[in-house]
Amino acid sequence: QTCALPIYVNHRTLRSAKVGAYPYAITRLPLGKLAISLWGQGAIAIIDGATLERIALIPVGSHPADMLYLPQAQHLLVACSDSDDVSVVDVVKLVEVRRFHLEVPDVPVGGAQPVALAADAASGNIYVALAAVNSVAVFQIKSGKQIEYSFRSLFGVGAYPTALLFSARSKTLFR
């Protein structure tokens, strides 16, 4: 099925566009572009925010949910819940450039279900909510000639974390 992306102002639909199967989340990108995770297609649609025309359809892991734009790297991180992946999309080249598969040690069935993302720009930490294992994974991003991502740690949180927000002001991760 293809669903529409409506633009509402004062309870009226001004415009809409067909973007793909089961749009889940929208993230603003540079140059007036929008990224839309298409939960039913395993893809990200990049559209022009002014015209709502599709620029690209980028395959990622299964059931893409939350997205996080990293301006310094010009990367879009995508939490893909059913494939237990975090996809890394280059928003300039409009391609997936890397995919992290999140495996949980000593868990024989199921997966981690990454569903939400947050970042601490000052420390370079990326936080990934792993809903199925009640945890948050921490990755480090380092910029240089090439962008480097590395796994740092995993810590337990309350039951089924599905949203994350990092406050730079209070230096606190909220879930």
Side-chain angles (χ1 to χ4, degrees):
Q1 294 186 11
T2 300
C3 294
L5 170 70
I7 305 297
Y8 296 107
V9 173
N10 296 328
H11 307 286
R12 279 188 358 193
T13 302
L14 296 182
R15 291 180 294 156
S16 65
K18 292 186 179 201
V19 294
Y22 301 102
Y24 187 90
I26 300 173
T27 299
R28 191 180 309 175
L29 300 175
L31 305 173
K33 295 176 187 173
L34 300 172
I36 302 163
S37 59
L38 301 174
W39 210 67
Q41 276 181 261
I44 300 300
I46 306 295
I47 67 169
D48 182 300
T51 65
L52 302 185
E53 290 184 33
R54 187 160 73 188
I55 297 167
L57 185 66
I58 304 163
V60 294
S62 179
H63 289 106
D66 196 20
M67 297 176 291
L68 176 66
Y69 177 63
L70 302 174
Q72 186 175 9
Q74 294 186 319
H75 285 172
L76 179 71
L77 302 184
V78 184
C80 301
S81 67
D82 282 12
S83 58
D84 294 330
D85 296 323
V86 174
S87 291
V88 180
V89 174
D90 183 317
V91 299
V92 175
K93 297 177 183 174
L94 299 175
V95 296
E96 181 186 53
V97 293
R98 188 162 183 190
R99 189 179 294 191
F100 296 99
H101 185 70
L102 303 170
E103 293 181 0
V104 180
D106 302 322
V107 177
V109 179
Q113 281 190 321
V115 294
L117 300 161
D120 173 2
S123 71
N125 285 339
I126 309 274
Y127 301 97
V128 183
L130 305 177
V133 293
N134 306 326
S135 299
V136 171
V138 183
F139 286 84
Q140 178 78 41
I141 182 172
K142 292 182 181 175
S143 298
K145 282 188 174 183
Q146 291 187 323
I147 304 299
E148 294 180 30
Y149 296 91
S150 59
F151 176 76
R152 290 198 58 202
S153 62
L154 182 72
F155 62 91
V157 295
Y160 211 76
T162 57
L164 293 176
L165 174 73
F166 184 82
S167 168
R169 184 175 183 184
S170 65
K171 297 183 175 145
T172 303
L173 178 66
F174 295 94
R175 66 150 212 100

